[in-house]
Amino acid sequence: MSKTFCALPFQHLCIGPEGTARVCCVAHDLVSEHGAPMSLNIHTMDEIWNSAYMRNVRRGMLKGERISACEVCYESEAASGQSYRTHTGLEPISGRRQSAATLAKYGAAAGFRVDQRRASSSSRSAISAI
């Protein structure tokens, strides 16, 4: 198992009540553009999801780099051997494991954009209502 890889940046985004985004619910850093937090009050979901910040996080994950936003998981793993990444981020939502190599191939072909996201019918309805 990789000490840094997490599938969440490829399938998940945490949106706070004020509209700002994080890679996941335990990440420290906000998704940002030119140093300013990105927010659904200003940006579309697709702009945030496929921002340079998110694409760089995905590239870094696939290269085995430590991502600053993910320090909470790295620190938790150093202390206890477990983290949100080891419990959730290694198992894609669909229940099928995807290797880093599979995601790297997809990522490179897509420019590290993720254009197709799974969404429940209720979240699709909520997004289309916005």
Side-chain angles (χ1 to χ4, degrees):
M1 173 174 71
S2 167
K3 299 266 186 210
T4 58
F5 178 79
C6 181
L8 290 175
F10 295 87
Q11 65 192 17
H12 173 89
L13 196 62
C14 178
I15 304 295
E18 70 291 348
T20 57
R22 298 176 192 273
V23 173
C24 77
C25 62
V26 298
H28 278 255
D29 303 345
L30 295 173
V31 175
S32 60
E33 179 178 60
H34 309 296
M38 296 183 82
S39 167
L40 286 176
N41 295 319
I42 300 168
H43 302 90
T44 67
M45 184 67 158
D46 283 337
E47 287 171 333
I48 295 171
W49 184 252
N50 287 308
S51 65
Y53 179 96
M54 289 299 295
R55 291 193 322 271
N56 287 334
V57 166
R58 293 179 191 120
R59 283 186 191 99
M61 286 282 173
L62 293 170
K63 290 180 183 177
E65 297 172 358
R66 286 177 70 108
I67 306 300
S68 65
C70 304
E71 283 300 319
V72 170
C73 282
Y74 305 145
E75 291 170 7
S76 178
E77 290 166 30
S80 69
Q82 298 182 20
S83 71
Y84 190 63
R85 181 187 79 86
T86 61
H87 287 288
T88 305
L90 298 178
E91 185 69 34
I93 293 170
S94 64
R96 294 174 288 149
R97 285 193 173 276
Q98 294 179 330
S99 69
T102 300
L103 287 171
K105 183 178 177 183
Y106 168 77
F112 295 92
R113 294 177 58 87
V114 179
D115 292 325
Q116 294 182 11
R117 296 180 304 283
R118 288 183 179 221
S120 68
S121 59
S122 61
S123 66
R124 276 192 294 268
S125 298
I127 290 170
S128 65
I130 294 176

